[in-house]
Amino acid sequence: MCERKCKGCDYSADFREVHEECGVFGITTGGDESIDVREEVRYALYALQHRGQESCGISVNDKGVIYTHKGVGLVPEVLTDEAISKLPKGTMAIGHNRYGTKRTADVMNARPLYIRHAKGTLSLAFNGQLVNAVEIRRQLRETGIIFHTSSDAEVIAYTIAKERLGCDSVEEAVKRTMEKLKGAISMVVMSPRKLIAARDSHGVRPMCIGKLKNGGFVFASETCALEVVGAEFVRDVRPGEIVYVEDNELKVYRRGKDRPDGLCIFEYVYFARPDSVIEGQSVHHSRKIAGALAAKYEPKVRADVVIGSPDSGLEAAMGYAEESGIPYGVGLIKNRYIGRTFIQPTQAERENAVKIKLNAVSETVRGKRVILVDDSIVRGTTSKRVVKILREAGAKEVHMRVASPLYVSKCYFGTDNTEKKDLIAGRLDLEGIRKELDLDSVAFLPLEQMVKVTPDAPNCGFCLGCFTGKYPMDVSKADETDKYSEKLGN
Amino acid sequence: MCERKCKGCDYSADFREVHEECGVFGITTGGDESIDVREEVRYALYALQHRGQESCGISVNDKGVIYTHKGVGLVPEVLTDEAISKLPKGTMAIGHNRYGTKRTADVMNARPLYIRHAKGTLSLAFNGQLVNAVEIRRQLRETGIIFHTSSDAEVIAYTIAKERLGCDSVEEAVKRTMEKLKGAISMVVMSPRKLIAARDSHGVRPMCIGKLKNGGFVFASETCALEVVGAEFVRDVRPGEIVYVEDNELKVYRRGKDRPDGLCIFEYVYFARPDSVIEGQSVHHSRKIAGALAAKYEPKVRADVVIGSPDSGLEAAMGYAEESGIPYGVGLIKNRYIGRTFIQPTQAERENAVKIKLNAVSETVRGKRVILVDDSIVRGTTSKRVVKILREAGAKEVHMRVASPLYVSKCYFGTDNTEKKDLIAGRLDLEGIRKELDLDSVAFLPLEQMVKVTPDAPNCGFCLGCFTGKYPMDVSKADETDKYSEKLGN
Amino acid sequence: MCERKCKGCDYSADFREVHEECGVFGITTGGDESIDVREEVRYALYALQHRGQESCGISVNDKGVIYTHKGVGLVPEVLTDEAISKLPKGTMAIGHNRYGTKRTADVMNARPLYIRHAKGTLSLAFNGQLVNAVEIRRQLRETGIIFHTSSDAEVIAYTIAKERLGCDSVEEAVKRTMEKLKGAISMVVMSPRKLIAARDSHGVRPMCIGKLKNGGFVFASETCALEVVGAEFVRDVRPGEIVYVEDNELKVYRRGKDRPDGLCIFEYVYFARPDSVIEGQSVHHSRKIAGALAAKYEPKVRADVVIGSPDSGLEAAMGYAEESGIPYGVGLIKNRYIGRTFIQPTQAERENAVKIKLNAVSETVRGKRVILVDDSIVRGTTSKRVVKILREAGAKEVHMRVASPLYVSKCYFGTDNTEKKDLIAGRLDLEGIRKELDLDSVAFLPLEQMVKVTPDAPNCGFCLGCFTGKYPMDVSKADETDKYSEKLGN
Amino acid sequence: MCERKCKGCDYSADFREVHEECGVFGITTGGDESIDVREEVRYALYALQHRGQESCGISVNDKGVIYTHKGVGLVPEVLTDEAISKLPKGTMAIGHNRYGTKRTADVMNARPLYIRHAKGTLSLAFNGQLVNAVEIRRQLRETGIIFHTSSDAEVIAYTIAKERLGCDSVEEAVKRTMEKLKGAISMVVMSPRKLIAARDSHGVRPMCIGKLKNGGFVFASETCALEVVGAEFVRDVRPGEIVYVEDNELKVYRRGKDRPDGLCIFEYVYFARPDSVIEGQSVHHSRKIAGALAAKYEPKVRADVVIGSPDSGLEAAMGYAEESGIPYGVGLIKNRYIGRTFIQPTQAERENAVKIKLNAVSETVRGKRVILVDDSIVRGTTSKRVVKILREAGAKEVHMRVASPLYVSKCYFGTDNTEKKDLIAGRLDLEGIRKELDLDSVAFLPLEQMVKVTPDAPNCGFCLGCFTGKYPMDVSKADETDKYSEKLGN
């Protein structure tokens, strides 16, 4: 499903930024002076790099004063030794990796977002997407609040600041903000004295709590960031929970629900790192299960080899192979050096371009009936090329098995910002998909099977909106036209 | 006086940014499609580069939508061909060169400042410094307005946005803003349909109007920017005036006073480019006059040669030589390749470092009684080194003549941010200065002569605050502690 | 075995550069004007990037004039659009990826090496390592030849130039050169009119021939580079063969042997890309076979899961799992964003550093008896860390199985430049290795099995020197002290 | 005359590089451990930056081993702190600034040139141009010597290496080389134990000797580099002299002539820094004298003001004004921020482009009869634009006075590489020049006056070839076609 990650650099203007699937992280030393929070944030953001490669940043809290550094680029490009050395050592910090669309790759959209409000300062790192941003922004703006961008992060930060005017603590302001805002929200807020984590009541995006040896605490989007900073997993932040660290103590300000009722299933399917555990469920294992489940369903075919689409389809392919008894093979090799600095071919349509990224292992597929497993299909463009490569390498038959259902509806919570008309399953039926991708057969995981891929998260409820068009909350206002997008004259 | 321009790169946090001496520019095509406003802004900012080398930026208005690009660095580093090509061609644009202290060299402080307010959007390029920023910010913040930095530009932009709520046009909002804000203000504001220029009622900082051949208009900090874009000089923006371009017409919204009563004399002494004309007075000529006037006053000395301190003291030295009849000589050569990328010596105190920047022409000074003319002395550190170089090159006597009075008081309007305790004339008397700089004699231009350097601006009144401690407006609140600088907990 | 690829940047001086394992490529258009050789070289070098990440370059031949561009960095960093556009389009070109030690990461060592000799010009791209370089250089230098570096490439190019003096063609000069030089040599030479490929008589390093649709030819280190340029595989260059393209025709100047007798087995074990085919043998399949063979040998253990060390041990692990019947699992996840720009931790010894690169999938290994398969162990440092990570993730037992024999002797042909004293198998016995790596058991593939991993290259003979200390040619002079390394006074 | 310094970046191929006007420097510590030769070379190259801005480099000698770092760019771009820190501290070093044409801006042409020859190693920094390079190269190449570029530096280094084979010391080899090579040669050669300086017998290019306080010695192209490293001027290297430092002692190997008979007069006119002293003559003073002499000659005109063309014409203008009694004025201001990073306008012919670089001071020239003084005119393109700017600024008359004779012949010694057909004085007569430049009158310094500008170098003879077509040596073979430029097939 890597087709979604097209990069680029462009200039923001007056359009709505619809996408904030990101990685967030926060840390307090707990008084342990051997811990350099700047380094730890850097390690953690490195581990969370898969959640956002557009821009990144850090805010360090040194005795109540917050210093921020951010920029467009990968973690090693932005958080260089030189940049890190100019920040104070500090005792608290937050970090953020942003994954935006190419139109928003601008430093103005990099996070954390640091603001100075009436009662102090705060820095915010946010993962998710609001569904009532337009409305809330309209309200804020009518009270005279000024916006620099059209990002959800500004809406959230300003709401906290506004609520803070009428209450006694920043955690209370965060609570009130969470009540006002609708959408997927997993965020870390750092005030001069506190580090706060909050997660929406449906638990759409993940967020977990870790503990350092000598008393410090950590909040992170995924557990894979805990290990790199030497933190022990404590638990997931609960849906609707507001939790914060003050004076080296972890305090629950508002207790949330025990289990999400709208956790994004796509975190397991594609987004999260395989070595992470979300709500008790290993991401890696859920992918293998999805592959195995896919193998149980029609249409069954005789095949010689099962291969996966690198990297995200490999685990499902292994599960499929184990379940079906058809041998697993390595049929496609991805160029390890493909990266964001790769030069686009001058003839963009050039077929060799995709060959640079992906090559077939002829010995695996030549003359074979191949089952190609992928985790999902969104637009279908990459899948089409992969099938072509396999056929050119001599595959006799290519049967595609997708370890998730037909992706038919738009996501409003940050997974992907493809409009319905660009979704292959939104515009074609199964036979249409088969033809477009030039397959011998194609099958998707039935919806009722999708929910079985998380046996270790037994009571967890999921958002399956992209497969069903039914969302855990009202999204009717999410597509509202923002008056900011109108060209207001005066 | 080049000692003031120490560069560097640091991180902004919770301190007040006290300095915004900058270059601003605005342009409208007047419907002439052959004009590319992006290119013109680039040329203009290049011509105004001397007013700020820290960061720069551009906002282009394409059919009411404003696109902004900015960054830390010189014009050719930030406004690259690639960056320019990503902006739309547009029909209106503003640009800004920022000169800040090293603590504020951050992209967050780069300008123009683009905001989205309740009634639309605007982009602001500002030159000057407020004296009631702390108070206004406090008021704004009490109404819930949120700040990202502690810059004056934010205070101005948010005040415009706030005033815009209660009035019918952006020019009216600018007018109200100018009434609320105290300080040196020369600015260009671009709304979706209008380009507005405003200057404070004292006329502290310069600003002029130019006209393009086919109907377009230009606003610029200095006339030297008109020529590079092919614009003809129309007139200076009047003190207190608010003027704007709408539908290809130049309209005066509020007529200002005929002449400034507080124009910064330092624009002539040091800051402006010699080929600029401010309020009818050629900057170059005012410097020659200042040198000539210096030659008329005590203590007169017998000398063999008059030399200037490059680059800003050269013209005064010529004036001095002409008036005194003592031959003008080139006694000091500046390395033409000194720039911001220059590597600081590892031993900072190293004497060779200054030799890299400046060398004496031995033939001019060896065995001679030298009169060294400079435009001004602020801290005195560079002057001290220059005298040392001259003595090492064999000068028999070194007499320093400064073409401006003793610089004894802090500037509140953006010329320089040196505190009184660091001003050599603030801590030493004349004899003390002579000894510290190792001079045979030293003299400064008497205050009453300073005002004579602008014969072509006959009715113009000046701010002489740095020489007198008396300012054209109340500065008592300028040094007020900003509550933003307190570490507010909660 | 990724431990070997430590990068860095340093300055070359008077030491011998012992290592030139590289990727080489050459192409002629065959008169097809739709082919842009600059683009094709870029694609090919991208596909061969795994053979060298230190520096790269291209020489383009435009009507007999050779233009070269090269630099330190990865292909997309050096062969940028801008760089490419400054070269002529040309009808012939060669390219080179260099993998050197960190001491030699200098542009002076980047290739191709372009020289102007007595009878013309040539450009050289070389993969391999000489064993009589010191001697040949001494001879050359005694005739007055001057060297700029201590690289083997200079020795080769100068020998060709010298031989060219006494013969009638460049292909003859190459032939004579191949007779003089001893070592692993796979190279492409471009003269004003010809493109020549040569391979040493033992066939130590691979090299193959491809054909473009409209008559052009291609030479490449590996077949994976053929596909990206749309070339069809013709055959491997034979050991001892000298083949060239002239006037769009492929001509064999000297016929080589049918099969190598000293092909580096490590090309299959680690170095080549899995989707390449060398001497008829798929690299991917040879790795699976090696894993399967490892599974057949003692000590057999009861285990719950077989995992591979990413990326190079994964295929052997699959082969092991299939053969043993023990389930294959994904036990380790490599951070996809690790690259050469990665910031080294300030505390180099820091344990978190390795965690950034590699994380365990706890679900796969917790409480399990794990068989960890890797392709090879050289120094053992990475393996040690991997075992630690697995144990921390809860593995009950860790048994390591290596799909190649004990690596006990130094390589003289470019695979790796580790000295014997730094090889873990050079200094410890099996039990010592087990203890040092903290394993429950460890086993290596028996030597007699190693040669069975290439069933599709039946008559091929291999260099197994790193496992046996016996090499296909005399290496006694390879370690000779170069008089160039002596500090000659005068 | 700044038109000559057009920059750019291109790729070298098979053409002759005709130009090596450069800055060279060498230093030995004399055992003073407080001296860091790396830093001193950096300072010196900074002072010599005006002699070459294309590329630069350093070779450091640490106990007989020579380490080199070089690159394309200005001194602060190439000799960064990081680059410097990777070199050893050393006790001897040489440095080089290269000024080449844009076609040769390639790291392969950067210097010093380090080679390993039969009897050791050496590094070479060269300033000048050979007139028998083609012949010598042919001879070398016929003995099998291989060239990487077509630069003169390679010819020199290889000749030294070749001669070294048959003699006992490197200084003897340098002597023999100087006898073989014809042309302008000022160079520094560093061997493992010695630092050697040599200058051709005509003394075309300058070179001087300085002494450090504690016994170290310095060789430099100009005296301005002595001061920045704290060295005292000892004397010029004599024409034909070979001098070297060994064991902290300065030794003369071959005594040269007392005075040059072919010193390039253009060093005084334009090339050298004004604060340098060459053969006893201050460069600055010679320029003032040239201006004064120009004022004495016909056609005399009535004028209101004398202005100079920045920067190189300013001093002559001062001399002219003093002599003529017509007031000196600043009529043109050069943008201080113009540099190599300047963005070329997309419409290259655009007139605003030159306005960015140069603005007229209207007050100085409006309604005035202006005498514009420049040091020289080569192509005439810049002069033409300057006159246009002056006329647009309102100058009533513009009379140009050039402080050197008509530049009619090609230079073969490195001053400039303009072909005769492109010299304005090569293709037009005086009246033609006047018309082309749109002047009211134009005059050049008579040839017999030119030689009077160096009163403090009384017995010095000059090369006036560019004015006379007569050169101090035979240049008939300088334009010979290099067989290297032929496309040799084989």
Side-chain angles (χ1 to χ4, degrees), chain B residues 177-237:
Chain B
T177 299
M178 294 301 281
E179 283 160 3
K180 273 221 163 120
L181 300 176
K182 308 295 172 208
I185 307 172
S186 283
M187 68 181 182
V188 178
V189 177
M190 183 166 66
S191 77
R193 293 197 301 110
K194 296 171 191 165
L195 184 69
I196 303 158
R199 194 176 173 199
D200 67 80
S201 63
H202 301 286
V204 181
R205 294 286 152 220
M207 171 80 78
C208 67
I209 306 172
K211 198 172 183 338
L212 296 168
K213 273 178 216 161
N214 298 318
F217 286 97
V218 162
F219 299 124
S221 286
E222 292 184 31
T223 59
C224 66
L226 301 187
E227 291 170 53
V228 297
V229 301
E232 194 185 323
F233 175 75
V234 175
R235 62 172 175 85
D236 292 285
V237 173

Side-chain angles (χ1 to χ4, degrees), chain A residues 288-301:
Chain A
K288 280 196 71 174
I289 294 167
L293 290 171
K296 287 191 180 159
Y297 288 85
E298 301 298 336
K300 293 214 172 130
V301 288

Side-chain angles (χ1 to χ4, degrees), chain C residues 9 11 13-14 65 67 69 86 114 116 118 141 144-145 147-148 150 158 164 170 192-194 487-488 490, chain D residues 9 11 13-14 65 67 69 86 114 116 118 141 144-145 147-148 150 158 164 170 192-194 488 490:
Chain C
C9 186
Y11 289 73
D14 275 0
V65 185
Y67 300 80
H69 175 67
K86 286 188 178 161
Y114 169 71
R116 302 159 193 233
R141 152 188 118 201
I145 298 277
F147 287 82
H148 291 216
S150 56
Y158 297 171
R164 184 68 185 79
V170 65
R193 294 197 301 110
K194 296 169 190 166
K487 290 145 208 169
L488 293 176
N490 77 79
Chain D
C9 188
Y11 290 72
D14 275 0
V65 185
Y67 300 80
H69 175 66
K86 285 187 179 163
Y114 169 71
R116 304 161 191 231
R141 152 189 119 199
I145 297 278
F147 287 82
H148 292 216
S150 56
Y158 297 171
R164 184 70 185 80
V170 65
R193 292 197 303 109
K194 295 169 191 166
L488 292 178
N490 78 78

Side-chain angles (χ1 to χ4, degrees), chain B residues 84 102 167 223 229 287 481:
Chain B
I84 285 288
K102 66 169 192 160
C167 68
T223 59
V229 301
R287 288 178 191 169
T481 301

Side-chain angles (χ1 to χ4, degrees), chain B residues 85-387:
Chain B
S85 71
K86 286 187 179 164
L87 294 168
K89 206 182 161 222
T91 55
M92 222 191 267
I94 64 173
H96 190 263
N97 279 323
R98 181 184 164 86
Y99 162 32
T101 60
K102 66 169 192 160
R103 300 188 70 187
T104 63
D106 192 284
V107 71
M108 299 310 288
N109 287 320
R111 305 280 172 259
L113 176 59
Y114 169 70
I115 63 165
R116 303 161 192 232
H117 56 87
K119 290 202 173 168
T121 60
L122 66 82
S123 191
L124 168 77
F126 162 65
N127 173 25
Q129 191 173 334
L130 301 182
V131 294
N132 67 339
V134 172
E135 186 188 333
I136 299 293
R137 182 154 42 207
R138 189 189 310 124
Q139 289 169 15
L140 287 170
R141 151 188 120 201
E142 276 161 11
T143 71
I145 298 279
I146 287 123
F147 287 82
H148 291 217
T149 70
S150 56
S151 70
D152 286 353
E154 268 198 296
V155 173
I156 300 170
Y158 296 171
T159 303
I160 298 172
K162 193 171 161 54
E163 295 301 328
R164 184 71 184 79
L165 282 173
C167 68
D168 288 335
S169 71
V170 66
E171 55 272 23
E172 171 68 16
V174 168
K175 197 195 87 177
R176 293 183 185 190
T177 299
M178 294 301 281
E179 283 160 3
K180 273 221 163 120
L181 300 176
K182 308 295 172 208
I185 307 172
S186 283
M187 68 181 182
V188 178
V189 177
M190 183 166 66
S191 77
R193 293 197 301 110
K194 296 171 191 165
L195 184 69
I196 303 158
R199 194 176 173 199
D200 67 80
S201 63
H202 301 286
V204 181
R205 294 286 152 220
M207 171 80 78
C208 67
I209 306 172
K211 198 172 183 338
L212 296 168
K213 273 178 216 161
N214 298 318
F217 286 97
V218 162
F219 299 124
S221 286
E222 292 184 31
T223 59
C224 66
L226 301 187
E227 291 170 53
V228 297
V229 301
E232 194 185 323
F233 175 75
V234 175
R235 62 172 175 85
D236 292 285
V237 173
R238 292 189 191 95
E241 185 174 17
I242 292 159
V243 62
Y244 66 105
V245 183
E246 186 186 21
D247 299 335
N248 300 339
E249 235 181 295
L250 184 72
K251 300 174 184 174
V252 175
Y253 185 71
R254 184 175 76 181
R255 201 190 185 285
K257 293 185 286 186
D258 279 355
R259 281 290 192 178
D261 61 14
L263 176 61
C264 171
I265 195 80
F266 236 77
E267 291 280 348
Y268 295 104
V269 172
Y270 171 80
F271 215 84
R273 233 170 78 165
D275 51 334
S276 285
V277 175
I278 302 174
E279 300 290 339
Q281 175 62 52
S282 153
V283 171
H284 165 68
H285 276 208
S286 75
R287 288 178 191 169
K288 280 197 71 174
I289 296 169
L293 291 170
K296 287 190 180 163
Y297 288 84
E298 301 297 336
K300 294 215 172 130
V301 288
R302 285 180 185 278
D304 303 303
V305 67
V306 175
I307 67 171
S309 189
D311 290 329
S312 48
L314 296 179
E315 290 155 313
M318 286 175 198
Y320 191 103
E322 279 179 21
E323 177 64 30
S324 66
I326 303 168
Y328 175 79
V330 175
L332 293 158
I333 298 291
K334 194 175 166 185
N335 189 328
R336 274 183 278 164
Y337 301 96
I338 287 288
R340 56 194 295 283
T341 52
F342 177 65
I343 302 149
Q344 289 304 319
T346 38
Q347 305 134 274
E349 68 293 352
R350 188 179 170 132
E351 284 173 23
N352 288 340
V354 69
K355 286 189 187 164
I356 293 171
K357 296 189 189 166
L358 224 49
N359 251 24
V361 178
S362 305
E363 281 58 31
T364 305
V365 301
R366 191 183 304 132
K368 302 279 179 60
R369 292 165 302 180
V370 175
I371 292 180
L372 169 67
V373 181
D374 207 346
D375 62 283
S376 58
I377 304 183
V378 179
R379 290 165 182 266
T381 39
T382 298
S383 301
K384 194 171 173 177
R385 290 173 190 155
V386 169
V387 176

